[in-house]
Amino acid sequence: MTVIIISFSVFIPLNHFSYAIVSLIYDWGQLSSEQLHKIANYLQAVSLTLPFQGINALLIAVLAARKDTKNPLICSSLLAVAFITIGYGFITEISEIFSLMVVIYATLSFLLLLILTLQHKISLLNQKTFLVELLTVIAVSLLYYLFL
């Protein structure tokens, strides 16, 4: 759960303050305001992968504890091949690559959760404490985002 809390605590400020962060790093008078906004939009798009990366790290750790490292490897490898194939075959804009990254990470989260549920008979969603903690993290993140 700590991994998910950390990923959300990084995601929210990165997403909310993306323009300020980009301005701080790149605004030396070399880039126009339009270019800074474009880079900030890219940062926001990439930051959307952070919660999924945290969830994936948690699910892979649970699977590793169950001595199942093959399934995450297969899922990750197939999704990496899909990312490269779709990226090289169909994508023309960098923003589409970032969107594809989010979809790939979310798909990996879904597949790993499916493996845990169907193959290992572990349902994290039926665990009352897990749901309460996850909802708490989401609620705190939303409050943080809304009031900052």
Side-chain angles (χ1 to χ4, degrees):
M1 185 53 81
T2 304
V3 172
I4 295 172
I5 292 171
I6 291 170
S7 66
F8 269 99
S9 66
V10 172
F11 159 71
I12 297 294
L14 268 180
N15 202 354
H16 186 71
F17 298 113
S18 62
Y19 185 78
I21 292 167
V22 167
S23 294
L24 183 66
I25 295 171
Y26 295 109
D27 193 15
W28 303 334
Q30 302 283 329
L31 299 175
S32 69
S33 179
E34 180 182 321
Q35 291 170 320
L36 291 173
H37 278 290
K38 188 177 252 188
I39 295 169
N41 289 339
Y42 294 156
L43 178 61
Q44 283 180 329
V46 171
S47 71
L48 290 173
T49 65
L50 291 175
F52 294 115
Q53 290 180 35
I55 291 168
N56 292 341
L58 172 69
L59 294 175
I60 289 170
V62 170
L63 285 166
R66 306 275 305 172
K67 306 228 185 291
D68 183 0
T69 55
K70 188 170 98 174
N71 282 323
L73 176 65
I74 291 169
C75 290
S76 296
S77 299
L78 291 174
L79 287 171
V81 169
F83 179 77
I84 292 167
T85 304
I86 295 169
Y88 277 115
F90 302 102
I91 292 186
T92 58
E93 301 276 327
I94 194 164
S95 60
E96 294 172 344
I97 291 174
F98 297 141
S99 297
L100 180 60
M101 282 175 54
V102 173
V103 168
I104 293 292
Y105 278 112
T107 302
L108 182 58
S109 297
F110 174 74
L111 290 174
L112 294 174
L113 191 58
L114 202 61
I115 289 168
L116 272 173
T117 303
L118 297 178
Q119 188 172 348
H120 296 281
K121 308 293 186 229
I122 297 173
S123 181
L124 297 177
L125 300 178
N126 288 339
Q127 308 264 339
K128 184 178 181 183
T129 57
F130 179 80
L131 280 176
V132 168
E133 290 175 0
L134 184 61
L135 291 173
T136 302
V137 168
I138 292 170
V140 168
S141 299
L142 286 173
L143 289 173
Y144 177 81
Y145 181 74
L146 290 173
F147 292 111
L148 284 181

